[in-house]
């Protein structure tokens, strides 16, 4: 059950050693407005009134335990593998002994404590306490717990204690749950000093506990009650709980610190928790009628009627006096708490304890109460990572205050209001409890109504941030790679399909996702088609494209500005993410959008592809028949030559083409002349780029397959193909091996010639440009690979170009006629 949050005040922060307090431990002792905190090798003195650090005491080794003698205000410090040190101050707060060295940082004095402050040099001591002018030291030796008592009044002139006045021992008996802890010595023993309560005597030490007479007598015996001997209860990491008196029974009239002989006795076993003991305490669990809050008034006069034993595994044992009417005895009761328990303290009928994740409070069952359920319900304060806790002796009226030290070394003050106390809530009447429950349920419903939309908004924003993180990762992967290594790339292929009883040419785009992320809603594939003078764009939504998967998109190749296909077609791909998708899931109000409408997307450029007419041809089986013509006397001509001959004797006006030009550009039904264009490429270039060592295929077939890879099956090795362009123009392609005699100064150059034959000038020109562009790419690749091109006679080529231009000029000149007078 969750409690109202206590008031929390942050007091100070301390330096933590490596590993934090979970690995090194810590302890705090409040006294008269000051707090002594031990962390690592340092003891800090903090003033709660001034809210500042007073002093820091540095030791050579790690500190295991500190104890304050409240009567003399002497601080005892146990340093691991060393011994016990003693710090004493005068009335002005100055150390009685000179420290090894001292510095000041930020107004805080730092004292370095040397061996001159050591009062008991013994590296075997693992824990101790000081009570009634006796120092009780616990050590472990050869699987035995040894307890030694020292009289603190009998120190020598150097402050060192003589030999022990009494020694006791108990064998270590670890259970399976405690064996590793005992072996590693990771938890120290726990000591508690209790004494017999007497009405005429008032306790002066807040840390001393007086036990109700009947419980003290029943538990420890009438002999110890008669000699009024304080009793020390010891809890060990192996689960054993023992006790021993500070006074010995044979000398009831002598003081227990005088005339004692050294002896070794075995200790009586009080209980065995079978788990490490982490807390021993005494409190008043029985609340009499008329006591509203017995621990806020006259606390020094109260006695304890319950002794608590608490294990690390959550086992709590209460020891209370039995029914006096039945002869008087004491009884043990076991209860179970949430584990693991790190630290604890008692305040009246309440037990406050810390786990790794929370501070919790349970109401200690009153003596004689018959509980069926041994698992106690607890109240949670939702305060995690608390390493040590301690109550404050001087509390304000009705409130409970305690100090806590977190795993990170933060000292905090917690104030529990009286109305928030668990014991107070337990004493509500039935009607008050019912009304309180109604109010709490109403508050829970109200909070739930307010929290539900906030939770939904937080989840939506977290989802949007996760999506944005994926978008940034994909963008980085795409922008930092190029070429074949791009994680997102497109493959394009033209396809012929039939729609509305007509053949049409479309393009198929395969989008490949090679990233580690899913291309989800919000991603769009944008495609831009551009030809000379026109262009169009398409956009496709990418829906849930998983890594290593593909998605196909089909779009037409005809642009909006032109009804006919124009080649070459340049296709540009881009992956675009609309940032408005993030706003849709995160913001209900459009005005609260994170992104403006002008800059609302991320554009990632992908590849560019060129589709030429060679990729879109429709091939037919070759019939061997020539193209039908209306002029049977005409043989195939060079296209430029045919055009010049057709316009030689006619007058060409601007905007009025000649008859032969009209015949060339008309539809397939009007064939005027067969036009031929040819392109030659050196065979050495083709051999270097296309020829394979283990292939017997001729260069002509290899060139055909390279030019028409999408349309020509691999099983065919033709030297001539016949087909139609996408616009319905017929053509033939013929490949043959020739020798170029007029280009090389030495020997003829072996070459491969590609002839393009068609009666349509537009188809011929488009195919001619496509073949030239393909062969240029092939030649550039060979030059990059270090292919040696044959020597060419550039003068011969220049002369041929000049002669062709001169012939063209002469044929365009008008005819001159001479007339004679009579």
């Amino acid at each position: 059950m969750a409690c109202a949050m206590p008031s929390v005040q942050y007091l100070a922060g301390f330096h933590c050693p490596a590993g934090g307090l979970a690995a090194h431990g810590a302890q705090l002792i409040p006294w008269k407005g000051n707090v002594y905190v031990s962390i690592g090798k340092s003891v800090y003195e903090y003033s709660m009134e001034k809210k500042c650090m007073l002093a820091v005491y540095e030791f050579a080794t790690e500190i295991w335990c500190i104890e304050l003698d409240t009567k003399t205000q002497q601080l005892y410090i146990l340093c691991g593998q060393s011994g016990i040190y003693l710090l004493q101050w005068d009335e002005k707060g100055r150390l009685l002994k000179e420290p090894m060295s001292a510095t000041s940082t930020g107004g805080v004095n730092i004292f370095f404590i040397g061996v001159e402050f050591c009062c008991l040099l013994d590296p075997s001591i693992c824990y101790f306490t000081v009570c009634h002018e006796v120092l009780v030291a616990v050590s472990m030796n050869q699987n035995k717990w040894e307890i030694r008592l020292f009289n603190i009044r009998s120190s020598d002139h150097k402050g060192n204690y003589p030999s022990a006045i009494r020694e006791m021992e108990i064998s270590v008996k670890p259970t399976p749950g405690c064996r590793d802890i005992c072996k590693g010595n990771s938890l120290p023993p726990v000591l508690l000093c209790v004494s017999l309560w007497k009405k005429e005597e008032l306790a002066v030490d807040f840390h001393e506990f007086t036990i109700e007479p009947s419980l003290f007598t029943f538990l420890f015996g009438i002999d110890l009650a008669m000699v009024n001997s304080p009793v020390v209860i010891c809890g060990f990491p192996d689960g054993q709980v023992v006790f021993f008196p500070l006074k010995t029974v044979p000398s009831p009239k002598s003081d227990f610190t005088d005339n004692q002989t050294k002896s070794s006795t075995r200790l009586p076993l009080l209980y065995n928790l079978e788990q490490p003991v982490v807390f021993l305490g005494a409190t008043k669990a029985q609340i009499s009628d008329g006591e509203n809050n017995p621990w806020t008034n006259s606390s020094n006069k109260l006695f304890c009627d319950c002794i608590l034993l608490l294990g690390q595994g959550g086992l709590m044992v209460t020891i209370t006096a039995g029914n006096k009417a039945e002869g008087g005895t004491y009884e043990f009761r076991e209860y179970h708490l949430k584990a693991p328990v790190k630290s604890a303290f008692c305040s009246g009928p309440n037990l406050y304890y810390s786990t790794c994740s929370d501070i919790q409070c349970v109401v200690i069952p009153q003596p004689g109460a018959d509980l069926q359920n041994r698992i106690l319900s607890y109240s949670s304060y939702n305060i995690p990572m608390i390493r040590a806790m301690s109550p404050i002796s001087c509390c304000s009226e009705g409130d409970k205050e305690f100090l806590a030290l977190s795993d990170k070394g933060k000292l905090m003050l917690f104030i529990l209001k009286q109305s928030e106390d668990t014991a107070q809530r337990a004493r509500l009447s039935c009607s008050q409890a019912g009304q309180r429950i109604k109010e709490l349920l109403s508050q829970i419903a109200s909070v739930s109504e307010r929290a539900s939309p906030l939770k939904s908004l937080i989840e939506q924003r977290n989802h949007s941030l996760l999506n944005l993180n994926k978008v940034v990762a994909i963008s980085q992967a795409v922008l930092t790679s190029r070429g074949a290594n791009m994680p997102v790339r497109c493959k394009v292929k033209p396809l012929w399909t039939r729609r509305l009883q007509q053949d049409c040419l479309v393009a198929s785009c395969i989008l490949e996702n090679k990233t580690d992320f899913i291309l989800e809603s919000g991603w769009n594939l944008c495609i831009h088609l551009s030809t000379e003078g026109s262009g169009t764009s398409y956009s496709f939504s990418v829906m849930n494209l998983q890594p290593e998967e593909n998605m196909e998109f089909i779009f037409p190749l005809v642009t909006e500005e032109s009804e006919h296909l124009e080649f070459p077609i340049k296709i540009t791909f881009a992956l675009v993410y609309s940032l408005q998708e993030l706003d849709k899931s995160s913001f209900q109000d459009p005005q609260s959008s994170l992104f403006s409408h002008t800059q609302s997307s991320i554009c990632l450029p992908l590849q560019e592809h060129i589709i030429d007419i060679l990729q879109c041809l429709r091939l037919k089986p070759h019939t061997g028949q020539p193209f039908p013509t209306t002029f049977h006397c005409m043989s195939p001509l060079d296209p430029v030559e045919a055009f010049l001959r057709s316009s030689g004797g006619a007058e060409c006006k601007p905007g009025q083409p000649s008859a032969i030009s009209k015949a060339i550009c008309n539809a397939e039904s009007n064939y005027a002349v067969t036009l031929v264009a040819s392109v030659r490429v050196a065979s050495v270039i083709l051999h270097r780029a296309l020829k394979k060592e283990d292939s017997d295929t001729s260069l002509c077939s290899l060139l055909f397959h390279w030019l028409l890879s999408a349309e020509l099956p691999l099983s065919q090795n033709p030297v001539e193909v016949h087909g139609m362009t996408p616009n319905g123009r017929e053509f033939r392609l013929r490949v043959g091996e020739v020798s170029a005699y007029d280009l090389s100064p030495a020997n003829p150059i072996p070459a491969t010639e590609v002839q393009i034959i068609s009666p349509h000038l537009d188809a011929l020109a488009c195919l001619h440009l496509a073949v030239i562009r393909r062969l240029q790419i092939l030649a550039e690749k060979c030059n990059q690979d270090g292919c040696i091109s044959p020597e060419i006679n550039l003068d011969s080529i220049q002369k041929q170009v000049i002669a062709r231009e001169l012939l063209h000029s002469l044929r365009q000149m008008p005819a001159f006629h001479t007339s004679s007078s009579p």
Side-chain angles (χ1 to χ4, degrees):
M1 180 177 63
C3 293
M5 286 295 294
S7 174
V8 181
Q9 297 181 13
Y10 172 78
L11 300 180
F14 303 100
H15 173 72
C16 289
L21 302 188
H24 296 269
Q27 189 179 353
L28 54 88
I29 299 177
W31 177 251
K32 291 184 178 180
N34 291 349
V35 183
Y36 297 95
V37 181
S38 66
I39 297 177
K41 299 179 181 180
S42 305
V43 174
Y44 301 89
E45 184 180 3
Y46 179 82
S47 174
M48 296 181 61
E49 297 177 356
K50 299 179 180 180
K51 304 295 182 182
C52 65
M53 199 78 64
L54 299 180
V56 180
Y57 304 94
E58 297 284 349
F59 292 83
T61 59
E62 186 173 345
I63 298 172
W64 286 359
C65 176
I66 60 174
E67 282 289 338
L68 179 66
D69 187 350
T70 56
K71 294 181 180 179
T72 60
Q73 201 170 352
Q74 296 175 338
L75 186 65
Y76 294 82
I77 301 97
L78 172 61
C79 294
Q81 308 299 327
S82 178
I84 299 176
Y85 291 71
L86 175 61
L87 298 182
Q88 303 179 76
W89 297 271
D90 57 15
E91 294 80 3
K92 296 182 179 180
R94 295 174 298 189
L95 288 173
L96 297 182
K97 293 183 180 181
E98 289 293 329
M100 186 168 57
S101 62
T103 60
S104 180
T105 302
V108 179
N109 296 324
I110 302 176
F111 302 98
F112 295 89
I113 307 301
V115 294
E116 62 273 7
F117 286 83
C118 185
C119 62
L120 183 58
L121 184 61
D122 188 348
S124 65
I125 299 176
C126 60
Y127 198 76
F128 77 99
T129 189
V130 177
C131 53
H132 297 280
E133 299 181 346
V134 175
L135 187 148
V136 181
V138 182
S139 59
M140 185 178 180
N141 185 17
Q142 295 181 356
N143 293 329
K144 289 184 179 181
W145 295 108
E146 294 183 352
I147 302 175
R148 291 171 293 167
L149 278 58
F150 299 87
N151 188 353
I152 62 176
R153 295 188 304 174
S154 61
S155 59
D156 57 17
H157 65 283
K158 294 183 179 181
N160 297 327
Y161 296 150
S163 58
I165 59 175
R166 189 145 48 104
E167 294 182 359
M168 294 154 284
E169 65 181 21
I170 181 173
S171 299
V172 177
K173 298 178 180 179
T175 58
C178 306
R179 184 172 291 108
D180 295 337
I181 296 176
C182 295
K183 185 177 181 180
N185 198 20
S186 58
L187 287 178
V190 184
L191 303 178
L192 175 68
C193 182
V194 297
S195 58
L196 178 66
W197 179 80
K198 291 185 178 182
K199 189 173 183 181
E200 62 274 9
E201 295 182 1
L202 299 180
V204 295
D205 193 347
F206 175 74
H207 297 281
E208 294 180 2
F209 300 92
T210 57
I211 304 298
E212 191 264 336
S214 61
L215 176 61
F216 189 92
T217 302
F218 295 152
L219 194 60
F220 305 119
I222 192 171
D223 293 338
L224 294 182
M226 292 180 61
V227 299
N228 193 21
S229 172
V231 175
V232 177
I233 303 175
C234 303
F236 296 101
D238 59 2
Q240 297 184 89
V241 181
V242 300
F243 70 92
F244 62 89
L246 290 182
K247 287 183 180 181
T248 54
V249 176
S251 54
K253 295 184 179 180
S254 63
D255 191 83
F256 55 86
T257 59
D258 296 331
N259 301 325
Q260 299 295 321
T261 59
K262 180 178 179 181
S263 61
S264 179
T265 58
R266 291 187 176 274
L267 301 178
L269 181 65
L270 182 63
Y271 205 84
N272 194 336
L273 296 180
E274 296 184 352
Q275 58 183 255
V277 181
V278 295
F279 174 73
L280 300 175
T283 187
K284 183 174 177 60
Q286 180 72 42
I287 302 176
S288 303
D289 296 337
E291 288 184 333
N292 294 328
N293 195 350
W295 285 87
T296 58
N297 300 314
S298 304
S299 61
N300 289 333
K301 298 180 181 181
L302 291 177
F303 58 83
C304 301
D305 58 4
C306 177
I307 296 177
L308 290 177
L309 316 177
L310 184 58
Q312 188 184 45
L315 176 62
M316 183 182 74
V317 178
T318 61
I319 307 175
T320 57
N323 192 349
K324 298 180 181 179
E326 297 178 359
T329 182
Y330 56 88
E331 60 181 5
F332 296 84
R333 291 194 177 187
E334 293 186 353
Y335 302 95
H336 298 279
L337 310 179
K338 187 177 180 180
V341 179
K342 297 299 181 182
S343 61
F345 70 90
C346 291
S347 178
N350 297 336
L351 172 68
Y352 298 88
Y353 64 98
S354 66
T355 63
C356 297
S357 59
D358 199 1
I359 292 180
Q360 297 171 350
C361 174
V362 297
V363 179
I364 302 172
Q366 296 189 16
D370 187 13
L371 296 180
Q372 299 296 331
N373 188 6
R374 296 296 177 176
I375 301 177
L376 298 180
S377 61
Y378 60 87
S379 301
S380 174
Y381 291 99
N382 298 319
I383 305 172
M385 301 176 63
I386 297 300
R387 179 55 47 180
M389 298 190 302
S390 178
I392 298 177
S393 58
C394 47
C395 300
S396 60
E397 277 297 325
D399 296 341
K400 292 184 179 181
E401 301 178 357
F402 65 92
L403 293 171
L405 189 65
S406 69
D407 285 341
K408 302 298 183 181
K410 294 181 179 180
L411 179 64
M412 294 169 287
L413 173 65
F414 294 87
I415 303 176
L416 300 176
K417 299 297 182 181
Q418 183 177 4
S419 59
E420 299 169 0
D421 192 1
T422 308
Q424 293 293 329
R425 291 197 303 271
R427 289 190 292 271
L428 293 176
S429 64
C430 294
S431 60
Q432 291 175 337
Q435 182 63 29
R436 181 59 177 162
I437 291 174
K438 292 180 181 179
E439 294 175 357
L440 290 175
L441 291 177
S442 176
Q443 294 175 3
I444 291 173
S446 177
V447 171
S448 177
E449 291 177 358
R450 296 195 305 268
S452 179
L454 292 177
K455 180 181 179 182
S456 177
L457 180 60
I458 291 174
E459 291 177 353
Q460 290 173 358
R461 293 200 175 188
N462 289 339
H463 180 69
S464 297
L465 290 176
L466 180 62
N467 288 343
L468 184 59
N469 184 42
K470 295 179 181 178
V471 171
V472 173
I474 294 173
S475 302
Q476 182 182 10
V478 172
L479 295 176
T480 55
S481 58
R482 282 292 177 268
N485 296 325
M486 292 191 70
V488 181
R489 54 181 177 264
C490 299
K491 293 182 179 180
V492 184
K493 180 180 180 181
L495 296 174
W496 281 97
T497 184
R498 190 169 182 84
R499 294 182 180 178
L500 300 177
Q501 297 182 354
Q502 289 184 355
D503 292 339
C504 60
L505 186 63
V506 297
S508 171
C509 171
I510 305 296
L511 179 64
E512 298 179 351
N513 181 16
K514 300 297 183 181
T515 67
D516 297 331
F517 303 95
I518 304 175
L519 297 181
E520 299 175 315
S521 175
W523 285 105
N524 294 276
L525 179 63
C526 294
I527 304 172
H528 180 71
L529 279 67
S530 60
T531 59
E532 185 176 356
S534 63
T536 188
S537 298
Y538 303 101
S539 179
F540 300 94
S541 297
V542 181
M543 301 297 293
N544 198 28
L545 181 56
Q546 300 290 332
E548 301 299 329
E549 291 188 0
N550 304 330
M551 185 173 292
E552 184 180 14
F553 304 95
I554 297 178
F555 53 92
L557 290 176
V558 179
T559 61
E560 296 178 355
E561 291 81 0
S562 176
E563 297 180 356
H564 301 283
L565 290 171
E566 298 179 5
F567 295 96
I569 302 175
K570 181 180 179 181
I571 304 179
T572 305
F573 297 94
L575 198 61
V576 179
Y577 185 83
S578 176
L579 296 177
Q580 299 298 330
E581 290 292 328
L582 301 178
D583 291 349
K584 290 181 181 179
S585 60
S586 300
F587 303 97
Q588 301 294 334
D589 185 8
Q591 296 180 355
S592 63
S593 174
L594 291 176
F595 311 103
S596 64
H597 294 285
T598 57
Q599 298 177 352
S600 59
S601 61
I602 297 176
C603 183
L604 306 177
L606 303 179
Q607 306 102 309
E608 290 183 355
H609 290 272
I610 301 295
I611 294 182
D612 57 21
I613 194 172
L614 295 175
Q615 297 175 263
C616 307
L617 301 177
R618 307 184 74 178
L619 303 182
K620 305 178 183 178
H622 179 51
T623 59
Q625 298 295 329
F627 292 107
T629 62
T630 56
F631 305 100
H632 298 284
C633 61
M634 299 182 64
S635 60
L637 297 176
D638 178 83
V640 179
E641 188 73 18
F643 178 77
L644 294 177
R645 287 186 180 183
S646 67
S647 60
E651 181 179 0
C652 295
K653 297 181 180 180
Q656 296 182 359
S658 61
I660 190 66
S661 300
K662 292 181 179 180
I664 294 175
C665 298
N666 278 339
E668 297 96 339
S669 59
N670 188 11
Y671 297 100
V673 65
T674 302
L675 307 177
V676 179
S678 63
V679 181
R680 296 178 181 179
V681 61
S683 298
V684 64
I685 295 177
L686 296 180
H687 191 279
R688 178 68 179 268
L690 305 177
K691 189 71 173 177
K692 297 181 180 179
E693 296 181 359
D694 55 348
S695 176
D696 297 332
T697 308
S698 63
L699 283 179
C700 297
S701 297
L702 290 176
L703 182 58
F704 249 135
H705 281 286
W706 183 71
L707 290 174
L708 307 173
S709 58
E711 292 77 13
L712 195 63
L714 295 176
S715 59
Q716 298 182 11
N717 294 313
V719 294
E720 180 179 343
V721 295
H722 180 203
M724 297 181 65
T725 65
N727 292 331
R729 309 293 197 182
E730 293 190 5
F731 71 93
R732 287 183 184 177
L733 291 180
R734 183 180 300 150
V735 179
E737 296 182 359
V738 298
S739 298
Y741 293 92
D742 52 351
L743 299 179
S744 176
N747 299 317
I749 299 175
T752 301
E753 182 183 53
V754 180
Q755 285 188 351
I756 306 161
I757 308 169
S758 176
H760 306 283
L761 183 59
D762 55 347
L764 187 80
C766 192
L767 288 169
H768 186 256
L769 290 176
V771 172
I772 290 177
R773 177 181 170 273
R774 291 282 193 95
L775 294 178
Q776 283 178 343
I777 296 174
L778 194 64
E780 291 175 358
K781 181 180 179 182
C782 289
N783 290 336
Q784 294 176 357
D785 296 341
C787 179
I788 301 177
S789 302
E791 295 184 4
I792 297 177
N793 189 348
L794 297 179
D795 293 338
S796 176
I797 297 175
Q798 186 177 9
K799 290 178 181 180
Q800 295 180 28
V801 173
I802 293 175
R804 178 63 62 89
E805 291 179 352
L806 180 60
L807 179 61
H808 174 67
S809 300
L810 291 175
R811 292 190 174 183
Q812 286 187 336
M813 292 177 61
F816 293 94
H817 303 279
T818 306
S819 62
S820 59
S821 60

